[in-house]
Amino acid sequence: MPSQTNEQALEATIEKKLTGSCLEELKSENTSLINEPRDLYRSGNGYYIGHASDFNTKYAIDEVRFWHFLETTQKEELAKLQKQNDWKLKILDRLDRMIKKYGVLKLLRKGLEVDDAHFTLFYVLPLASSSQSVKDNFDNNEFSVTRQVRYSLSNPREEIDMVLFINGLPFSTMELKNHWTGQNAKVHGQNQYKFKRDIAQPLLNFGRCVVHFAVDTDEVYMTTKLDGAGTFFLPFNLGHNHGKGNTPNPFGHKTSYLWDEVLTRESVANIIQHFVRFDGSEKDGLGKRNLFFPRYHQMNVVRRIIADASKKGVGQNYLIQHSAGSGKSNSITWAAYQLIETYPESDTIPGSKGISNPLFDSVIVVTDRRLLDKQLRENIKEFSEVKNIVAPAYSSKELKESLESGKRIIITTIQKFPFIVDGIADLSDKRFAIIIDEAHSSQSGAVADNMNRTISSNSSEEDEEDPQDKILEIMRSRKMSKNASYLAFTATPKNNTLEKFGVLQEDGSFKPFHLYSMKQAIEEGFILDVLANYTTYKSYYEIEKSIEDNPLFDTAKAQKKLRAYVERDKQTIAIKAEIMFDHFISTIVN
């Protein structure tokens, strides 16, 4: 069947990249590497070739990899249970109960308790300063990829195209499609998950796998929860020309970044340790929680920030231009958490206190969204063993105490920005990363008014200066300390913001450090294109001079103030609302 052959060709491509070879090649060579013991072969991106016959459908694990990992790394713990006749069954039953209750993510992070034995199910990615034993432990992790996995207890012939395992535990499933056969990931791959896969089977239960990918040669889509027809997929694409999709790849498939970059051992380990998280409380039950997996641009921006800070040190400025619909709140929380665990590449870069000490003493998140405060707390709690490392500081006193006591993550309001700039200058022995959430910069009303009054005592209530301008004015009016890096997250940077935070290009222009454009957000369906359907109305107004030849009269300034007055007038707003409402009722509703 040609469609099957083409899909299998994509499977073989991924398998070969992750393992360094593929099963067909091993079979053709009659090598013993495809036979027992299956622990001899690993190269490429560090994956073993899994075998469909090793998959335990009831417990949804690769038993060969699972037991081999435990026997290789934790013989002493296994010995505590091996005196019992049914010791393997006991471990598997306990594993199954814990995954059903908490999800596989908790077990990968916290391990498994069985009687008096404790099993580590995943060894974390080491830091540059980590001991050799930590590095050796990570190398002992057994990542594997298995094709054509028969996952169903009720229908033994049902197969998933590909499953990725970590030490025998499933991390990801993949359904692969190929444009050569007239099928694609967006329609056929997603529909296969929605309508042709039995989500009652253990492998596809919520929380059993971290992520499910629908993949073809051009695009990738992902979901963390299979829910039949209600399954919601997110794009996991790089973007092309600031829009949707992926950039053409002269050396292979457009989606090769998935196996070349995202699914490497180090990348998957980083995702498990620092990105994937459940919301809510464990008391809520698994079914009531949501599992968050980063979209590509979210993962990429955080990794680029961390890599750049590790290389260049403290005192850098970053502009992250992420449109509405980008998941900016999660990007900020992931960045904040990982910045407090960022280590310098060398002792010589600015702000370095040695490669074994974090680069930043504290991360300050400047925002006016209390929702972000809640997200930060929940996110950090998932990752960190240290309690109470997130401190809200909504008064000057709280901010001062948090700065001086060295709280790791401080959340404060935009109104306190002048105090932050002055405060960190007094703490010259400490290093800070300041994340400015400018989601409010396009808003009007109380926040903008308060900020206008608070930040600049010279402003009148009539002035409608953008908060971006206010922040830049504060940074210009004060001597900026070199013990801080500034990261500005905004959807619509002004030219001055680009010049202050952006990256200088050869032609003298400035670009953001990272971009997820409005065009891409619109094309991917996260925001509506407000310019797609609109009707323009002309406004007319005029102003008379009280004195005809008044030398103080500034026409441009007067027109600006007049326009602001007219557009804020209650009568103007009422007329506009009436026009829009009449149009909506007559044209849309009726």
Side-chain angles (χ1 to χ4, degrees):
M1 294 172 62
S3 64
Q4 192 177 26
T5 301
N6 284 324
E7 286 174 16
Q8 287 178 345
L10 185 55
E11 289 173 22
T13 298
I14 298 173
E15 182 184 68
K16 185 171 184 178
K17 186 62 182 181
L18 294 178
T19 65
S21 189
C22 64
L23 204 53
E24 282 79 359
E25 290 180 2
L26 295 179
K27 287 177 180 177
S28 67
E29 295 167 5
N30 294 316
T31 176
S32 61
L33 295 176
I34 65 168
N35 301 316
E36 297 282 319
R38 293 181 178 138
D39 58 78
L40 300 176
Y41 191 77
R42 188 180 78 180
S43 63
N45 274 327
Y47 279 69
Y48 292 90
I49 292 179
H51 299 255
S53 59
D54 297 338
F55 183 70
N56 184 316
T57 309
K58 179 181 177 182
Y59 295 104
I61 66 168
D62 182 323
E63 280 208 75
V64 169
R65 294 268 68 87
F66 181 75
W67 294 120
H68 183 264
F69 169 73
L70 292 183
E71 288 162 1
T72 303
T73 61
Q74 298 162 77
K75 284 184 179 179
E76 297 81 2
E77 296 301 307
L78 277 177
K80 295 177 180 178
L81 302 173
Q82 285 174 330
K83 296 174 184 177
Q84 304 175 33
N85 292 330
D86 60 345
W87 64 274
K88 279 193 173 183
L89 185 61
K90 188 167 191 173
I91 293 173
L92 291 178
D93 281 339
R94 176 71 173 168
L95 177 74
D96 190 55
R97 286 198 303 274
M98 291 298 99
I99 291 178
K100 286 177 178 175
K101 188 173 182 179
Y102 300 113
V104 73
L105 188 59
K106 180 173 181 177
L107 275 75
L108 288 170
R109 287 185 181 152
K110 306 293 185 182
L112 177 69
E113 303 276 353
V114 185
D115 293 346
D116 62 338
H118 175 81
F119 299 105
T120 298
L121 300 182
F122 169 68
Y123 288 113
V124 298
L125 189 66
L127 301 169
S129 58
S130 295
S131 66
Q132 188 58 46
S133 63
V134 173
K135 295 175 182 177
D136 292 342
N137 280 339
F138 178 75
D139 287 340
N140 286 330
N141 286 318
E142 301 191 10
F143 289 69
S144 61
V145 53
T146 306
R147 294 162 60 181
Q148 304 303 315
V149 174
R150 296 191 173 185
Y151 71 98
S152 176
L153 292 166
S154 57
N155 188 350
R157 300 190 67 179
E158 281 288 319
E159 295 179 343
I160 291 281
D161 286 341
M162 188 168 276
V163 182
L164 307 183
F165 297 89
I166 302 173
N167 302 323
L169 301 176
F171 164 74
S172 169
T173 72
M174 302 172 74
E175 289 290 0
L176 308 177
K177 298 298 170 189
N178 204 310
H179 285 279
W180 299 331
T181 64
Q183 294 195 329
N184 60 56
K186 186 173 183 178
V187 177
H188 305 91
Q190 291 185 29
N191 285 345
Q192 196 158 20
Y193 272 122
K194 289 179 179 180
F195 305 112
K196 297 182 181 179
R197 294 291 172 252
D198 184 1
I199 61 174
Q201 300 306 315
L203 177 64
L204 303 186
N205 289 169
F206 177 55
R208 181 77 66 163
C209 279
V210 174
V211 66
H212 306 276
F213 288 112
V215 186
D216 62 34
T217 52
D218 290 348
E219 291 190 314
V220 181
Y221 293 86
M222 67 164 189
T223 185
T224 58
K225 185 174 185 178
L226 296 176
D227 190 25
T231 303
F232 182 71
F233 281 88
L234 290 166
F236 193 80
N237 297 314
L238 306 179
H240 177 49
N241 286 336
H242 305 316
K244 66 179 181 179
N246 287 303
T247 305
N249 179 3
F251 305 107
H253 300 311
K254 290 181 181 180
T255 50
S256 63
Y257 64 89
L258 182 64
W259 46 93
D260 286 338
E261 176 191 346
V262 179
L263 296 178
T264 64
R265 286 164 55 93
E266 292 75 13
S267 173
V268 171
N270 173 257
I271 289 169
I272 290 172
Q273 290 169 231
H274 299 306
F275 283 99
V276 190
R277 70 176 183 91
F278 279 102
D279 68 356
S281 167
E282 289 181 351
K283 297 177 183 177
D284 296 335
L286 200 59
K288 295 181 180 179
R289 304 177 74 187
N290 295 309
L291 179 58
F292 291 89
F293 190 94
R295 289 160 63 191
Y296 181 84
H297 67 272
Q298 293 174 310
M299 179 189 71
N300 184 250
V301 68
V302 174
R303 286 181 172 177
R304 283 189 57 194
I305 289 169
I306 302 307
D308 196 80
S310 297
K311 185 177 181 180
K312 296 180 181 177
V314 181
Q316 308 300 315
N317 288 341
Y318 302 92
L319 177 64
I320 295 90
Q321 184 179 343
H322 280 196
S323 168
S326 69
K328 188 146 56 78
S329 294
N330 271 325
S331 299
I332 290 173
T333 56
W334 281 319
Y337 164 66
Q338 293 188 47
L339 279 166
I340 64 172
E341 293 200 345
T342 298
Y343 290 79
E345 285 187 3
S346 72
D347 297 336
T348 58
I349 65 171
S352 175
K353 297 179 181 179
I355 62 171
S356 59
N357 293 308
L359 186 62
F360 299 104
D361 295 291
S362 298
V363 175
I364 305 170
V365 180
V366 183
T367 183
D368 262 306
R369 294 186 290 165
R370 295 297 177 99
L371 175 63
L372 189 57
D373 185 350
K374 182 173 181 288
Q375 283 184 309
L376 261 171
R377 289 171 177 273
E378 290 180 350
N379 201 352
I380 304 306
K381 191 167 71 173
E382 281 293 316
F383 300 124
S384 180
E385 297 291 339
V386 182
K387 306 300 180 186
N388 300 321
I389 64 171
V390 182
Y394 295 115
S395 71
S396 298
K397 181 183 177 183
E398 287 176 332
L399 180 57
K400 185 173 186 293
E401 290 173 351
S402 296
L403 286 171
E404 291 177 348
S405 63
K407 284 288 186 181
R408 300 308 310 278
I409 297 179
I410 302 165
I411 308 170
T412 190
T413 63
I414 198 72
Q415 290 88 347
K416 298 294 179 291
F417 188 71
F419 189 90
I420 294 167
V421 176
D422 294 337
I424 63 173
D426 296 334
L427 299 167
S428 58
D429 60 323
K430 292 190 175 183
R431 308 289 180 261
F432 300 93
I434 300 175
I435 299 176
I436 304 168
D437 171 24
E438 292 186 338
H440 52 270
S441 66
S442 61
Q443 297 172 359
S444 59
V447 171
D449 291 340
N450 288 339
M451 186 170 174
N452 286 343
R453 286 193 290 268
T454 303
I455 293 183
S456 178
S457 59
N458 295 325
S459 296
S460 70
E461 285 191 32
E462 293 180 1
D463 290 336
E464 290 293 326
E465 191 173 350
D466 191 281
Q468 287 187 40
D469 295 332
K470 296 292 187 181
I471 289 170
L472 293 172
E473 180 58 35
I474 291 164
M475 296 179 77
R476 279 193 293 267
S477 64
R478 288 162 167 81
K479 184 178 180 182
M480 300 309 298
S481 176
K482 294 182 179 180
N483 64 334
S485 290
Y486 290 86
L487 300 89
F489 280 78
T490 179
T492 52
K494 301 175 82 170
N495 286 336
N496 288 340
T497 306
L498 270 170
E499 289 179 15
K500 179 63 180 177
F501 293 99
V503 181
L504 178 63
Q505 305 298 300
E506 290 183 359
D507 62 359
S509 64
F510 292 85
K511 287 188 177 180
F513 178 78
H514 198 275
L515 173 67
Y516 176 81
S517 69
M518 188 177 295
K519 178 184 176 184
Q520 186 171 349
I522 290 170
E523 291 183 359
E524 290 183 342
F526 290 100
I527 56 175
L528 295 175
D529 183 359
V530 295
L531 299 180
N533 298 285
Y534 69 94
T535 302
T536 59
Y537 282 82
K538 290 185 178 180
S539 300
Y540 296 93
Y541 44 84
E542 61 181 352
I543 188 170
E544 291 185 1
K545 294 183 185 181
S546 57
I547 303 174
E548 187 62 32
D549 296 321
N550 188 348
L552 299 177
F553 184 81
D554 185 330
T555 304
K557 189 174 182 180
Q559 286 286 350
K560 184 178 178 181
K561 290 201 171 193
L562 176 62
R563 181 178 179 182
Y565 174 81
V566 170
E567 292 187 351
R568 287 204 306 265
D569 186 77
K570 289 182 179 180
Q571 184 179 0
T572 307
I573 295 170
I575 292 171
K576 287 181 179 179
E578 184 179 355
I579 292 170
M580 287 188 282
F581 187 74
D582 287 344
H583 177 269
F584 178 76
I585 294 297
S586 61
T587 308
I588 308 299
V589 177
N590 297 330

